[in-house]
Amino acid sequence: MLFPSLIFMVSCLHAVSAIWPLPVEWEHGSSVLWLSPDFEAVYKNQAPTPVASLPLLTYLLPRSWRWHWRNNDCSFDFDQSTEKILGAAIERTREDLLSHSFVPWKFHGKETAFEPGVSNDRKFIHRVEFVQEEPSATDKTSNESYTLTVEHETVVIKFVHLLGALRALPTLTQLFYKHSKPGVGVYTVQAPVTIKDAPAFGHRGLNLDISRNIVTPQTVMRTIDALAFNKFNRLHLHASDAQSWPLEIPALPELAIKGAFHKDQIWTVMELEIVQSYGFMRGIEVYIEIDMPGHTASVHAAFPDLIASFNRQPWQNFSAQPGAGQLKLGNAGVVDFITTLLSDLLPRTAPFTNLFHLGGDEMYASCYDMCPEETKPYLQAFVDHAISRVQVHGLRPVVWEEHLLDFNLTLPSNVVVQTWRPGSKDKRSALAEVISRGHQALFGPHTHWYLDCGHGTWLDPDLKNLNGSPIRSPYLDYCAPYKNWREVYSYNPLEDVPLRQHNLVLGGEVHMWGELTDDASLENSLWPRVAAAGAVLWEGTRKEKMSEDVTRRLAAMREWLLAKGVAAGPVANTWCLMNPGNCQL
């Protein structure tokens, strides 16, 4: 039922229909409501006991920190109670609505009167209720579902788990727009509203490389804010690689001191904890990858005896990229190194996530002067040890697909296998191949979801071998072309996955490798393409083709990101947004 005509309505009002990602069910009217800047937020807990939402909610870590960071005095309060987390999220939402909203002029014709009038009898929303309901017997602890209604000048958000409330708030925000008249406030033209929503996939992540170029904790925290606004729930930090080791490990202090490019690149213990806590407060699990045994040449700077074939030439015979070098297999010193490394790092990350990534991609048997078959037993022993260390600390191991598909290693059933290649020898996707072997898996193939692709090679031609060098015009990278947002959005991860095995697909991650990305360029490289991947992860696979509605909704998300200070690139030409129906071919 629509609101009665007492609420101001004009025929020229058009909703931008800007919710991104799209909810499962969404019904709305066309009436106007304004949001009171001092709206009352009320939390009602109808569950008999507080309901945990993230792995770390099983830990009791109330604390208050104060530190001096990058010449800025900051204070940070960490309290994991539902009321505190929800209260902080509500205040961030209030700030977004009142200070970081936008006037949607780009979505209307130049002379269109698209805004409601400002009168003394405006109807305001004065109350937002958060109702935590009792879980059903079949409910899962990671449930992120919610319902949201706007009616009778009240917003009601119902959820079982805290994460559901955190996912509802970006939806609520996107219902409102800033009025062009200064100080007037924000309004919706879609009342009443009824939304029922839940994610299609439980793991919705971004894999961010912080090792190949400098990416600071501050930039990562801005990224977390944008991820949360797009309903992601994982941030995978690829924290070490052949080129550098930026992560401080107190038990092995020389690793970062000698392995980082520069002292300013080093992530301290406190900075990592701050970033993980920052993510937790926004419903984002920040988990770490230490790639091994490949991609570990940076360890050589501190522990040269642990690395085989360091900087061996020609490098392309011994590694996927310069510089060459891998942890030795069957080496007691390496076993001790891995034990010390993980015994330091895992207890520090365990309160914030239940995952730890052990890498495993692009391992070259040639580094050991062996063929892959000869390497397998040594690699199996290495991986068994690393996995056992992760499990001892109560975490779930994640590995790249090569361990299973290239080396045919035996992996425990709880190991998550992350896929990145589009197909295998029988032309099935790597995802379909992994789950056919009974493992739970993550998707994100380089053909669709590698955001670093298409920027050109970062390697120079060998002047001593110009005729034989593959580095030549047009200087493409290996995974070109550029993956524009439509290509990201159109990816169907379940295309060749049998329905009976869909339950083994946990979700996926969109990837930003760092060869040509750093602090200065990261946000524009990520957004809005990450948001396009977020829609696939939240909405699931869909049969409809690319439509103008998708373009306009993503363009509106881009405006929200800009209003929040995120340097997101354009989705469409402004003229096309202002003249719907005129940019089709």
Side-chain angles (χ1 to χ4, degrees):
M1 179 187 300
L2 300 183
F3 278 1
S5 58
L6 290 175
I7 295 180
F8 179 83
M9 297 176 63
V10 296
S11 60
C12 66
L13 292 180
H14 294 286
V16 180
S17 299
I19 296 179
W20 187 278
L22 196 65
V24 175
E25 297 181 20
W26 179 23
E27 298 178 0
H28 65 85
S30 57
S31 298
V32 177
L33 277 178
W34 298 76
L35 183 66
S36 173
D38 56 353
F39 67 83
E40 179 187 21
V42 179
Y43 169 56
K44 298 179 179 180
N45 186 359
Q46 296 180 352
T49 57
V51 181
S53 300
L54 284 173
L56 73 112
L57 285 179
T58 61
Y59 294 80
L60 299 176
L61 295 171
R63 68 187 71 180
S64 178
W65 289 321
R66 186 166 183 83
W67 72 97
H68 187 74
W69 191 19
R70 309 273 188 204
N71 297 319
N72 291 313
D73 287 321
C74 305
S75 61
F76 183 84
D77 293 314
F78 180 67
D79 187 324
Q80 61 176 10
S81 69
T82 295
E83 293 88 344
K84 288 287 186 179
I85 297 170
L86 184 56
I90 292 167
E91 291 312 306
R92 290 194 301 272
T93 300
R94 193 191 303 269
E95 177 72 11
D96 282 344
L97 286 165
L98 301 182
S99 301
H100 302 138
S101 55
F102 68 96
V103 178
W105 61 265
K106 289 184 182 180
F107 301 89
H108 303 277
K110 193 170 183 179
E111 304 301 327
T112 302
F114 62 88
E115 293 180 304
V118 180
S119 61
N120 293 330
D121 61 349
R122 287 183 291 162
K123 302 296 183 181
F124 282 88
I125 294 171
H126 291 284
R127 183 179 177 92
V128 180
E129 296 182 359
F130 295 84
V131 181
Q132 186 167 14
E133 299 181 312
E134 183 176 357
S136 66
T138 59
D139 186 53
K140 298 180 180 180
T141 58
S142 61
N143 191 337
E144 298 173 88
S145 63
Y146 66 91
T147 62
L148 186 155
T149 59
V150 181
E151 195 169 14
H152 303 308
E153 301 168 30
T154 299
V155 175
V156 178
I157 294 171
K158 294 183 179 181
F159 59 98
V160 173
H161 298 273
L162 175 58
L163 284 176
L166 297 183
R167 304 301 173 234
L169 287 170
T171 302
L172 175 65
T173 301
Q174 292 178 73
L175 293 174
F176 292 88
Y177 297 99
K178 181 181 179 181
H179 199 281
S180 60
K181 187 174 181 179
V184 168
V186 296
Y187 64 90
T188 181
V189 295
Q190 297 177 296
V193 176
T194 300
I195 291 172
K196 295 181 180 179
D197 206 5
F201 294 104
H203 185 118
R204 306 181 306 281
L206 165 66
N207 170 26
L208 180 60
D209 182 357
I210 63 169
S211 63
R212 289 188 174 94
N213 268 309
I214 295 178
V215 178
T216 62
Q218 297 95 320
T219 297
V220 172
M221 289 194 289
R222 290 199 305 271
T223 301
I224 288 171
D225 284 327
L227 289 171
F229 198 69
N230 280 271
K231 298 184 174 67
F232 281 77
N233 64 358
R234 300 289 195 284
L235 175 59
H236 162 187
L237 292 182
H238 182 81
S240 66
D241 213 287
Q243 290 80 16
S244 83
W245 187 290
L247 207 61
E248 180 186 29
I249 305 295
L252 301 165
E254 296 296 297
L255 262 181
I257 292 172
K258 294 183 176 181
F261 294 132
H262 186 272
K263 61 181 177 62
D264 288 346
Q265 186 198 15
I266 296 174
W267 281 49
T268 67
V269 169
M270 181 61 77
E271 286 172 331
L272 177 61
E273 188 171 4
I274 289 166
V275 167
Q276 290 191 290
S277 301
Y278 192 89
F280 158 66
M281 295 294 288
R282 289 151 180 78
I284 305 288
E285 275 191 50
V286 181
Y287 75 101
I288 308 302
E289 177 187 355
I290 301 296
D291 209 346
M292 60 179 80
H295 290 276
T296 48
S298 59
V299 173
H300 185 274
F303 301 98
D305 293 342
L306 303 184
I307 299 299
S309 297
F310 176 72
N311 205 27
R312 191 171 174 183
Q313 300 297 329
W315 62 261
Q316 57 268 34
N317 291 343
F318 306 100
S319 62
Q321 56 185 224
Q326 296 177 170
L327 287 170
K328 294 178 178 178
L329 300 180
N331 182 283
V334 170
V335 173
D336 291 342
F337 170 81
I338 295 299
T339 301
T340 302
L341 168 67
L342 297 181
S343 296
D344 180 304
L345 183 57
L346 295 180
R348 293 192 278 113
T349 63
F352 303 101
T353 176
N354 66 351
L355 299 175
F356 189 85
H357 205 306
L358 290 167
D361 62 318
E362 298 177 328
M363 198 210 77
Y364 277 60
S366 56
C367 271
Y368 311 114
D369 295 315
M370 296 181 182
C371 66
E373 292 77 14
E374 293 173 318
T375 306
K376 180 180 175 180
Y378 298 99
L379 181 60
Q380 182 74 65
F382 177 94
V383 171
D384 286 346
H385 175 68
I387 287 176
S388 71
R389 293 297 88 201
V390 173
Q391 292 176 328
V392 161
H393 291 278
L395 298 179
R396 188 175 189 184
V398 185
V399 300
W400 291 106
E401 65 180 62
E402 285 92 328
H403 279 341
L404 189 67
L405 301 186
D406 292 5
F407 290 93
N408 197 28
L409 299 187
T410 300
L411 302 174
S413 60
N414 72 326
V415 172
V416 178
V417 179
Q418 184 162 26
T419 63
W420 64 276
R421 294 178 296 188
S424 55
K425 292 181 180 179
D426 61 0
K427 298 185 179 180
R428 284 198 299 182
S429 69
L431 176 68
E433 180 64 28
V434 167
I435 66 171
S436 73
R437 302 190 190 190
H439 282 278
Q440 292 184 315
L442 302 175
F443 54 78
H446 70 73
T447 49
H448 290 78
W449 279 19
Y450 268 33
L451 303 186
D452 58 304
C453 295
H455 290 285
T457 183
W458 53 281
L459 300 171
D460 293 316
D462 183 355
L463 296 180
K464 298 177 182 178
N465 185 30
L466 279 179
N467 292 332
S469 174
I471 309 302
R472 60 185 66 185
S473 181
Y475 302 104
L476 300 177
D477 52 53
Y478 83 96
C479 56
Y482 180 86
K483 317 307 179 192
N484 63 62
W485 73 259
R486 287 182 171 85
E487 183 70 5
V488 173
Y489 180 81
S490 64
Y491 171 55
N492 177 5
L494 301 179
E495 185 173 14
D496 64 343
V497 176
L499 181 62
R500 68 182 184 278
Q501 294 177 327
H502 282 192
N503 64 304
L504 294 176
V505 182
L506 299 180
E509 294 182 352
V510 61
H511 305 271
M512 176 51 75
W513 300 108
E515 288 89 347
L516 290 175
T517 305
D518 63 10
D519 257 16
S521 63
L522 179 64
E523 289 182 347
N524 191 259
S525 297
L526 291 176
W527 306 101
R529 293 185 294 161
V530 170
V536 177
L537 291 163
W538 184 270
E539 299 171 21
T541 58
R542 47 215 176 296
K543 295 181 180 179
E544 82 272 16
K545 297 181 180 180
M546 187 67 59
S547 68
E548 187 176 26
D549 173 70
V550 174
T551 300
R552 293 174 67 79
R553 286 192 298 109
L554 183 57
M557 170 53 74
R558 189 250 181 169
E559 294 300 309
W560 276 111
L561 292 173
L562 291 177
K564 291 163 70 68
V566 177
V571 171
N573 184 290
T574 300
W575 188 90
C576 296
L577 296 176
M578 298 179 73
N579 295 274
N582 284 282
C583 289
Q584 300 173 3
L585 182 64

